[in-house]
Amino acid sequence: MKIKVLGPLDAEVNGVSIVPTAGKPRQILALLALYPGRVVPVPTLMEEIWGADLPQSALTTLQTYILQLRRRLGTAVGPDVPGSAKDVLATRYGGYLLQVPAESVDVHAYERLVAEGQQAFEKGEDGRASKCLREALDLWEGPALVDVRVGPILDIEVMRLEESRLVTRERRIDADLRLGRHVELIAELTDMVARHPQHEGLHSQAMVALYRSGRQASALEVYRRLRQRLIDELGVEPSPQLQRLHQAMLTVDPRLDVVAGPRHTSTFDLFAA
């Protein structure tokens, strides 16, 4: 079985999709897929589907959804493997589990690559860090579970994954900046700061990329716009790190050069206290 949650939900057995069209069974499959080999308790599944307002028939209806998923599994597996659907989508005391290897789900490969990339980044192995983190991000085919109606449990998981995606992208850009790829990053960072207008880390990266590309005025303008937005919308000044980064650009601080300064840190922390 191969399962994808980093984008539209996709689950295939022998090349045959087992993803149901109905909304609630899709939620169940998505939640089970996020915890391969682990029991998901019945109350958790019910909360995901119905929230706090459980119908009287909740347990019976949940069992029906599980049966529907097993039927799709059985069809995909074929008639020559009796009982295999129940082995894959197994009943355990108090819950259900999808009995598949973690490697079957794209999240596992993503998190393994992120861990490898982060480790390389902390060692100053920028080329390897950039490669691993880029490969991790390439596994995404859109927002997590974009075609699944999420309840309270999946909503938390989707937010966690999307936050991880943003942090991973920010770290990969850090590695690319340390490799001197500032010119190539300008278009990507312009898009990122537009999508995340209050994200200081991304703005610091955009400022550094522009500055190192000989566009000091543009770098200072990025800071000016962010500062005005933070004051207008939140009533706060930029963080001390960003203020020091801005001052360093005004004074042409040599620590901003691609070959200077501490190597094993993020762009945002170049001027941390």
Side-chain angles (χ1 to χ4, degrees):
M1 181 184 289
K2 294 294 181 184
I3 305 175
K4 296 180 180 180
V5 299
L6 302 178
L9 176 63
D10 183 37
E12 293 185 354
V13 178
N14 298 328
V16 179
S17 174
I18 64 164
V19 178
T21 55
K24 288 182 172 59
R26 288 171 79 90
Q27 286 175 267
I28 293 171
L29 178 59
L31 189 54
L32 291 170
L34 286 171
Y35 301 99
R38 292 167 56 186
V39 176
V40 179
V42 165
T44 301
L45 290 164
M46 288 181 174
E47 183 181 356
E48 167 59 27
I49 297 171
W50 293 289
D53 189 20
L54 298 181
Q56 287 188 344
S57 61
L59 182 57
T60 303
T61 304
L62 175 62
Q63 292 168 342
T64 301
Y65 294 150
I66 294 292
L67 180 60
Q68 291 172 3
L69 288 171
R70 282 179 176 154
R71 283 174 178 163
R72 296 186 73 90
L73 266 169
T75 301
V77 169
D80 299 329
V81 193
S84 61
K86 277 192 174 183
D87 295 334
V88 176
L89 207 179
T91 302
R92 292 291 184 270
Y93 179 77
Y96 299 93
L97 80 155
L98 204 56
Q99 204 149 245
V100 297
E103 294 80 9
S104 301
V105 188
D106 58 357
V107 168
H108 175 83
Y110 165 75
E111 291 179 340
R112 175 178 54 79
L113 285 165
V114 168
E116 289 178 12
Q118 181 64 32
Q119 185 179 51
F121 182 85
E122 290 169 357
K123 291 180 178 178
E125 299 172 359
D126 301 329
R128 180 166 166 262
S130 175
K131 180 177 181 292
C132 289
L133 298 175
R134 194 178 298 275
E135 288 177 3
L137 292 165
D138 285 345
L139 293 173
W140 287 74
E141 299 178 359
L145 297 173
V146 65
D147 59 347
V148 176
R149 185 187 73 83
V150 300
I153 310 300
L154 280 178
D155 187 47
I156 293 170
E157 291 295 334
V158 167
M159 284 193 293
R160 178 184 67 82
L161 287 170
E162 290 293 341
E163 181 63 24
S164 171
R165 184 187 190 185
L166 179 59
V167 170
T168 299
R169 191 168 182 183
E170 189 181 359
R171 187 62 68 246
R172 193 222 83 225
I173 292 171
D174 274 329
D176 285 342
L177 282 171
R178 294 194 325 201
L179 289 165
R181 297 171 179 168
H182 34 272
V183 174
E184 300 97 308
L185 289 169
I186 290 174
E188 178 182 7
L189 283 165
T190 299
D191 175 71
M192 291 295 286
V193 297
R195 293 176 184 273
H196 304 277
Q198 296 178 355
H199 195 298
E200 292 195 357
L202 291 170
H203 280 75
S204 73
Q205 292 176 324
M207 289 167 65
V208 169
L210 287 164
Y211 180 90
R212 289 178 180 168
S213 302
R215 297 171 59 179
Q216 183 185 27
S218 297
L220 296 173
E221 178 63 15
V222 169
Y223 177 85
R224 187 197 66 79
R225 288 200 303 267
L226 173 63
R227 178 176 182 270
Q228 195 60 53
R229 187 177 298 115
L230 291 175
I231 291 171
D232 291 346
E233 297 177 6
L234 301 177
V236 298
E237 290 279 351
S239 66
Q241 288 106 307
L242 206 60
Q243 291 185 46
R244 284 192 285 269
L245 177 62
H246 175 250
Q247 186 61 34
M249 289 182 175
L250 291 174
T251 59
V252 196
D253 192 317
R255 284 181 293 173
L256 288 168
D257 295 342
V258 69
V259 295
R263 298 285 292 159
H264 306 165
T265 187
S266 69
T267 306
F268 185 59
D269 289 333
L270 276 173
F271 292 89

CSV table of all heavy atoms in Angstrom, one decimal, residues 120-126 129 171-182 185 212 258-259 262-267 270:
chain,number,residue,atom,x,y,z
A,120,ALA,N,22.4,17.8,8.9
A,120,ALA,CA,23.4,18.3,8.0
A,120,ALA,C,23.6,19.8,8.2
A,120,ALA,O,24.7,20.3,8.2
A,120,ALA,CB,23.1,18.0,6.6
A,121,PHE,N,22.5,20.5,8.3
A,121,PHE,CA,22.5,22.0,8.5
A,121,PHE,C,23.3,22.4,9.7
A,121,PHE,O,24.1,23.3,9.7
A,121,PHE,CB,21.1,22.5,8.5
A,121,PHE,CG,21.0,24.0,8.7
A,121,PHE,CD1,21.0,24.8,7.5
A,121,PHE,CD2,20.9,24.6,9.9
A,121,PHE,CE1,20.9,26.2,7.6
A,121,PHE,CE2,20.8,26.0,10.0
A,121,PHE,CZ,20.8,26.8,8.9
A,122,GLU,N,23.0,21.6,10.8
A,122,GLU,CA,23.7,22.0,12.1
A,122,GLU,C,25.2,21.6,12.1
A,122,GLU,O,26.0,22.2,12.8
A,122,GLU,CB,23.0,21.2,13.2
A,122,GLU,CG,21.6,21.7,13.5
A,122,GLU,CD,20.8,20.8,14.5
A,122,GLU,OE1,21.3,19.8,14.8
A,122,GLU,OE2,19.6,21.2,14.8
A,123,LYS,N,25.6,20.7,11.2
A,123,LYS,CA,27.0,20.4,11.0
A,123,LYS,C,27.7,21.3,10.0
A,123,LYS,O,28.9,21.2,9.8
A,123,LYS,CB,27.1,19.0,10.6
A,123,LYS,CG,26.8,17.9,11.6
A,123,LYS,CD,26.9,16.5,11.0
A,123,LYS,CE,26.6,15.4,12.0
A,123,LYS,NZ,26.7,14.1,11.4
A,124,GLY,N,26.9,22.2,9.4
A,124,GLY,CA,27.5,23.1,8.4
A,124,GLY,C,27.7,22.4,7.0
A,124,GLY,O,28.4,23.0,6.2
A,125,GLU,N,27.0,21.3,6.8
A,125,GLU,CA,27.1,20.6,5.5
A,125,GLU,C,26.0,21.1,4.6
A,125,GLU,O,24.9,20.5,4.4
A,125,GLU,CB,26.9,19.1,5.7
A,125,GLU,CG,28.1,18.5,6.6
A,125,GLU,CD,27.8,17.0,6.9
A,125,GLU,OE1,26.7,16.5,6.5
A,125,GLU,OE2,28.6,16.4,7.6
A,126,ASP,N,26.2,22.3,4.1
A,126,ASP,CA,25.1,23.1,3.5
A,126,ASP,C,24.6,22.4,2.2
A,126,ASP,O,23.4,22.4,2.0
A,126,ASP,CB,25.6,24.5,3.2
A,126,ASP,CG,26.0,25.3,4.4
A,126,ASP,OD1,25.4,25.0,5.5
A,126,ASP,OD2,26.9,26.1,4.4
A,129,ALA,N,22.4,19.5,3.3
A,129,ALA,CA,21.2,20.0,3.9
A,129,ALA,C,20.2,20.5,2.9
A,129,ALA,O,19.1,20.2,2.9
A,129,ALA,CB,21.6,21.1,4.9
A,171,ARG,N,14.4,26.7,6.4
A,171,ARG,CA,15.8,26.2,6.7
A,171,ARG,C,16.5,25.9,5.4
A,171,ARG,O,17.7,26.1,5.3
A,171,ARG,CB,15.6,24.9,7.5
A,171,ARG,CG,16.9,24.3,8.0
A,171,ARG,CD,17.7,25.3,8.9
A,171,ARG,NE,17.1,25.5,10.2
A,171,ARG,CZ,16.5,26.6,10.6
A,171,ARG,NH1,16.6,27.7,9.8
A,171,ARG,NH2,16.0,26.8,11.8
A,172,ARG,N,15.8,25.4,4.4
A,172,ARG,CA,16.4,25.1,3.1
A,172,ARG,C,16.9,26.4,2.4
A,172,ARG,O,18.0,26.4,1.9
A,172,ARG,CB,15.4,24.4,2.1
A,172,ARG,CG,16.0,23.8,0.9
A,172,ARG,CD,15.2,24.1,-0.3
A,172,ARG,NE,15.5,25.4,-0.9
A,172,ARG,CZ,14.6,26.3,-1.3
A,172,ARG,NH1,13.3,26.0,-1.1
A,172,ARG,NH2,14.9,27.5,-1.8
A,173,ILE,N,16.2,27.5,2.6
A,173,ILE,CA,16.6,28.8,2.1
A,173,ILE,C,17.8,29.2,2.8
A,173,ILE,O,18.8,29.8,2.2
A,173,ILE,CB,15.5,29.8,2.2
A,173,ILE,CG1,14.3,29.4,1.2
A,173,ILE,CG2,16.0,31.2,1.9
A,173,ILE,CD1,13.1,30.2,1.4
A,174,ASP,N,17.9,29.0,4.1
A,174,ASP,CA,19.1,29.3,4.9
A,174,ASP,C,20.3,28.6,4.3
A,174,ASP,O,21.4,29.2,4.1
A,174,ASP,CB,18.9,28.9,6.4
A,174,ASP,CG,18.2,29.9,7.2
A,174,ASP,OD1,18.4,31.1,6.9
A,174,ASP,OD2,17.6,29.6,8.2
A,175,ALA,N,20.2,27.3,4.1
A,175,ALA,CA,21.3,26.5,3.5
A,175,ALA,C,21.7,27.1,2.1
A,175,ALA,O,22.9,27.2,1.8
A,175,ALA,CB,20.9,25.1,3.4
A,176,ASP,N,20.7,27.4,1.3
A,176,ASP,CA,21.0,28.0,0.0
A,176,ASP,C,21.7,29.3,0.1
A,176,ASP,O,22.6,29.7,-0.7
A,176,ASP,CB,19.7,28.1,-0.8
A,176,ASP,CG,19.3,26.7,-1.4
A,176,ASP,OD1,20.1,25.8,-1.4
A,176,ASP,OD2,18.1,26.6,-1.7
A,177,LEU,N,21.3,30.1,1.1
A,177,LEU,CA,22.0,31.4,1.3
A,177,LEU,C,23.4,31.2,1.7
A,177,LEU,O,24.3,31.9,1.2
A,177,LEU,CB,21.2,32.3,2.3
A,177,LEU,CG,20.0,33.0,1.8
A,177,LEU,CD1,19.2,33.6,3.0
A,177,LEU,CD2,20.3,34.1,0.8
A,178,ARG,N,23.7,30.2,2.5
A,178,ARG,CA,25.0,29.9,2.9
A,178,ARG,C,25.9,29.4,1.8
A,178,ARG,O,27.1,29.5,1.8
A,178,ARG,CB,25.0,29.0,4.1
A,178,ARG,CG,24.4,29.6,5.4
A,178,ARG,CD,24.6,28.9,6.7
A,178,ARG,NE,24.6,27.4,6.7
A,178,ARG,CZ,24.4,26.7,7.8
A,178,ARG,NH1,24.1,27.4,9.0
A,178,ARG,NH2,24.5,25.4,7.8
A,179,LEU,N,25.2,28.9,0.8
A,179,LEU,CA,25.9,28.4,-0.4
A,179,LEU,C,26.1,29.4,-1.5
A,179,LEU,O,26.6,29.2,-2.6
A,179,LEU,CB,25.1,27.2,-1.0
A,179,LEU,CG,25.1,25.9,-0.2
A,179,LEU,CD1,24.0,24.9,-0.7
A,179,LEU,CD2,26.5,25.2,-0.3
A,180,GLY,N,25.6,30.7,-1.2
A,180,GLY,CA,25.8,31.8,-2.1
A,180,GLY,C,24.8,31.8,-3.2
A,180,GLY,O,25.1,32.4,-4.3
A,181,ARG,N,23.6,31.2,-3.0
A,181,ARG,CA,22.6,31.2,-4.1
A,181,ARG,C,21.6,32.3,-4.0
A,181,ARG,O,20.4,32.2,-4.3
A,181,ARG,CB,21.9,29.8,-4.0
A,181,ARG,CG,22.8,28.6,-4.3
A,181,ARG,CD,22.1,27.3,-4.0
A,181,ARG,NE,23.0,26.2,-4.3
A,181,ARG,CZ,22.7,24.9,-4.0
A,181,ARG,NH1,21.6,24.6,-3.3
A,181,ARG,NH2,23.6,24.0,-4.3
A,182,HIS,N,22.1,33.5,-3.5
A,182,HIS,CA,21.2,34.6,-3.2
A,182,HIS,C,20.4,35.1,-4.4
A,182,HIS,O,19.2,35.4,-4.3
A,182,HIS,CB,21.9,35.7,-2.5
A,182,HIS,CG,23.3,35.9,-3.0
A,182,HIS,ND1,24.4,35.3,-2.4
A,182,HIS,CD2,23.8,36.7,-4.0
A,182,HIS,CE1,25.5,35.6,-3.1
A,182,HIS,NE2,25.2,36.5,-4.0
A,185,LEU,N,17.4,33.0,-5.2
A,185,LEU,CA,16.4,32.9,-4.2
A,185,LEU,C,15.4,34.1,-4.2
A,185,LEU,O,14.4,34.1,-3.6
A,185,LEU,CB,17.0,32.8,-2.8
A,185,LEU,CG,17.7,31.5,-2.5
A,185,LEU,CD1,18.5,31.6,-1.2
A,185,LEU,CD2,16.6,30.4,-2.4
A,212,ARG,N,22.9,40.9,-0.8
A,212,ARG,CA,24.1,40.2,-1.4
A,212,ARG,C,24.1,40.3,-2.9
A,212,ARG,O,25.1,40.0,-3.6
A,212,ARG,CB,24.2,38.8,-0.9
A,212,ARG,CG,24.5,38.6,0.5
A,212,ARG,CD,24.5,37.2,1.0
A,212,ARG,NE,24.9,37.1,2.4
A,212,ARG,CZ,24.8,35.9,3.1
A,212,ARG,NH1,24.3,34.9,2.5
A,212,ARG,NH2,25.2,35.9,4.4
A,258,VAL,N,28.6,36.6,2.3
A,258,VAL,CA,28.3,35.1,2.3
A,258,VAL,C,29.3,34.3,2.9
A,258,VAL,O,29.0,33.2,3.5
A,258,VAL,CB,28.0,34.7,0.8
A,258,VAL,CG1,29.2,34.7,0.0
A,258,VAL,CG2,27.3,33.3,0.8
A,259,VAL,N,30.6,34.7,2.9
A,259,VAL,CA,31.6,33.9,3.5
A,259,VAL,C,32.0,34.2,4.9
A,259,VAL,O,32.9,33.7,5.5
A,259,VAL,CB,32.9,34.0,2.6
A,259,VAL,CG1,32.7,33.4,1.2
A,259,VAL,CG2,33.4,35.4,2.5
A,262,PRO,N,29.1,33.6,11.6
A,262,PRO,CA,28.9,32.2,12.0
A,262,PRO,C,28.2,31.4,11.0
A,262,PRO,O,27.2,31.9,10.3
A,262,PRO,CB,28.0,32.4,13.3
A,262,PRO,CG,27.3,33.7,13.1
A,262,PRO,CD,28.3,34.6,12.4
A,263,ARG,N,28.7,30.2,10.7
A,263,ARG,CA,28.2,29.4,9.6
A,263,ARG,C,27.0,28.5,10.0
A,263,ARG,O,26.2,28.2,9.2
A,263,ARG,CB,29.3,28.5,9.0
A,263,ARG,CG,30.4,29.3,8.5
A,263,ARG,CD,30.1,29.9,7.1
A,263,ARG,NE,29.9,28.9,6.1
A,263,ARG,CZ,29.2,29.0,5.0
A,263,ARG,NH1,28.6,30.1,4.8
A,263,ARG,NH2,29.1,28.0,4.1
A,264,HIS,N,26.9,28.1,11.2
A,264,HIS,CA,25.9,27.1,11.6
A,264,HIS,C,24.7,27.7,12.3
A,264,HIS,O,24.3,27.3,13.3
A,264,HIS,CB,26.6,26.0,12.5
A,264,HIS,CG,27.8,25.4,11.9
A,264,HIS,ND1,28.7,24.7,12.7
A,264,HIS,CD2,28.3,25.4,10.7
A,264,HIS,CE1,29.7,24.3,11.9
A,264,HIS,NE2,29.5,24.7,10.7
A,265,THR,N,24.2,28.7,11.7
A,265,THR,CA,23.0,29.4,12.2
A,265,THR,C,22.1,29.8,11.1
A,265,THR,O,22.4,29.7,10.0
A,265,THR,CB,23.4,30.6,13.1
A,265,THR,OG1,22.3,31.1,13.8
A,265,THR,CG2,24.0,31.7,12.2
A,266,SER,N,20.8,30.2,11.5
A,266,SER,CA,19.9,30.6,10.5
A,266,SER,C,20.2,32.1,10.2
A,266,SER,O,20.8,32.8,10.9
A,266,SER,CB,18.5,30.5,11.1
A,266,SER,OG,18.3,31.5,12.1
A,267,THR,N,19.6,32.5,9.0
A,267,THR,CA,19.8,33.9,8.6
A,267,THR,C,19.2,34.8,9.6
A,267,THR,O,19.8,35.9,9.9
A,267,THR,CB,19.1,34.1,7.3
A,267,THR,OG1,19.6,33.1,6.3
A,267,THR,CG2,19.4,35.5,6.7
A,270,LEU,N,21.6,35.7,12.5
A,270,LEU,CA,22.9,36.3,12.3
A,270,LEU,C,23.3,37.3,13.3
A,270,LEU,O,24.4,37.5,13.7
A,270,LEU,CB,22.9,36.9,10.9
A,270,LEU,CG,23.2,35.9,9.7
A,270,LEU,CD1,23.0,36.7,8.4
A,270,LEU,CD2,24.6,35.3,9.8
